[in-house]
Amino acid sequence: MNVEQLNRMNSGKGFIAALDQSGGSTPKALSQYGVEESSYTNDEEMYTLVHEMRTRIIKSPTFDSQYILGAILFENTMDRKIDGEWTADYLWDKKNIVPFLKVDKGLADLANGVQLMKPISNLDELLDRAVERNVFGTKMRSVIKEANAVGIREIVKQQFEVGKQIFAKGLIPIIEPEVDIYSTDKVKSEEILKEEIQKQLNALDKDVKVMLKLSIPTVNDFYSELISDPHVVRVVALSGGYGQEEANEKLSQNHGLIASFSRALSEGLFANQSDAIFNTKLEKTIQGIYEASIT
């Protein structure tokens, strides 16, 4: 584990850029960028286009370690290069930004009010490759739709079981049990979720470290105990479908919680923009997310 990267994630100012759209979400990400499905005929062409989009963001002068602590990559992005360097190496060597990898394979069907992760059949091989590519940590997402205590307990247990496997490989896992922001019982879900996360944290060996990626809570500063837990390197927030302005406003009301935005980060960026317009828009976005993250 890179100690410099660990210290940066633990105490640095800034936020994490989520550049990890994958599988079924890639066409939507490209469409929002102004690249329609008619622009490609197969997955290889699609992933080449999305890598070009991510490369443009990463290479932008405003995508800078002064504001951005880390970036989450999709497996296909990790296995591609920017200016002759593996993407993770480019992020750290050229930008001083800590690289993470999305490792989950999507969501299972809804049961007990939640969607667990699908089995990650090649996890060991993927983690070994991440270590070889100088990745610092990983991310994996589950979704909570209802305040179902059985389902939420199951989702947190699964996340931590996989998280311990990831930590044993020398990587820091980002545990992401997302609460659907449109859930009618979001507050209750968050209460159950926090209790289950705390139980799992209390059961960890003292040297185990994790990160948490959570929906911005309905009650401000609701996750302050998790933020201060000695096992937790950082607690980051997903935008979860909120627009950029609303996500920033809600985030700014939660002290110690920093952003790990995806849709809110790329909002307003288009393939046909000139570099000047693209970089100006990205700079404004990054500044807004950064300000909300350091409040």
Side-chain angles (χ1 to χ4, degrees):
M1 187 179 301
N2 187 313
V3 176
E4 184 181 357
Q5 292 177 346
L6 178 62
N7 291 337
R8 179 160 171 71
M9 289 312 310
N10 188 53
S11 58
K13 285 187 176 181
F15 66 95
I16 296 177
L19 304 173
D20 59 329
Q21 299 96 339
S22 61
S25 63
T26 302
K28 183 177 180 181
L30 282 172
S31 178
Q32 290 170 339
Y33 184 55
V35 177
E36 299 303 327
E37 292 191 39
S38 58
S39 301
Y40 49 89
T41 58
N42 55 49
D43 284 353
E44 178 59 26
E45 291 179 2
M46 178 183 72
Y47 287 130
T48 296
L49 288 169
V50 82
H51 186 64
E52 289 173 359
M53 178 187 77
R54 289 163 177 159
T55 296
R56 192 181 189 193
I57 292 171
I58 290 169
K59 291 186 68 175
S60 172
T62 194
F63 196 83
D64 185 86
S65 61
Q66 180 179 350
Y67 310 106
I68 299 170
L69 295 173
I72 305 172
L73 308 174
F74 170 48
E75 180 182 353
N76 190 277
T77 308
M78 178 187 73
D79 289 334
R80 291 176 184 259
K81 294 183 177 182
I82 298 177
D83 292 352
E85 285 193 79
W86 297 114
T87 304
D89 288 333
Y90 184 92
L91 280 167
W92 183 244
D93 295 342
K94 297 293 192 292
K95 294 280 188 168
N96 200 37
I97 291 172
V98 179
F100 291 83
L101 174 68
K102 167 188 163 70
V103 296
D104 69 81
K105 301 299 183 184
L107 301 170
D109 292 337
L110 185 69
N112 292 324
V114 306
Q115 288 180 276
L116 295 166
M117 293 183 290
K118 291 180 179 177
I120 311 173
S121 57
N122 67 331
L123 182 58
D124 273 338
E125 182 273 330
L126 180 57
L127 296 177
D128 288 339
R129 203 161 79 254
V131 171
E132 291 174 5
R133 294 275 192 270
N134 297 316
V135 167
F136 170 75
T138 65
K139 190 214 81 161
M140 49 194 176
R141 172 176 174 260
S142 311
V143 176
I144 296 165
K145 297 282 190 180
E146 302 170 11
N148 182 308
V150 172
I152 294 174
R153 185 178 306 116
E154 197 174 5
I155 221 171
V156 174
K157 180 181 178 183
Q158 182 194 42
Q159 283 273 348
F160 272 84
E161 284 177 349
V162 178
K164 284 182 279 190
Q165 183 180 351
I166 290 165
F167 183 80
K169 291 281 189 176
L171 300 163
I172 297 293
I174 299 178
I175 288 167
E176 184 185 5
E178 174 183 346
V179 177
D180 190 330
I181 63 170
Y182 302 110
S183 171
T184 57
D185 49 11
K186 181 172 179 281
V187 172
K188 184 61 178 176
S189 291
E190 289 166 347
E191 291 173 354
I192 299 168
L193 175 62
K194 183 169 77 169
E195 182 179 351
E196 292 301 325
I197 289 174
Q198 196 63 70
K199 287 178 184 176
Q200 290 290 337
L201 290 172
N202 292 342
L204 291 176
D205 292 341
K206 65 179 182 178
D207 64 326
V208 176
K209 300 288 185 182
V210 301
M211 293 175 61
L212 302 172
K213 183 169 179 176
L214 306 172
S215 304
I216 302 171
T218 306
V219 178
N220 292 337
D221 291 327
F222 184 68
Y223 292 128
S224 58
E225 297 96 333
L226 300 181
I227 291 170
S228 61
D229 190 284
H231 290 289
V232 177
V233 176
R234 210 68 183 251
V235 181
V236 304
L238 54 102
S239 51
Y242 292 125
Q244 190 180 107
E245 187 175 336
E246 187 176 9
N248 286 346
E249 174 59 29
K250 289 180 179 295
L251 179 65
S252 68
Q253 303 303 312
N254 287 271
H255 304 87
L257 190 65
I258 68 171
S260 177
F261 292 170
S262 174
R263 279 165 288 188
L265 174 68
S266 58
E267 186 178 306
L269 300 178
F270 298 102
N272 63 0
Q273 290 170 330
S274 67
D275 286 345
I277 293 173
F278 181 92
N279 291 333
T280 297
K281 173 57 183 171
L282 183 59
E283 180 179 21
K284 183 179 178 182
T285 294
I286 286 173
Q287 290 284 352
I289 298 173
Y290 175 77
E291 292 293 335
S293 293
I294 64 171
T295 303

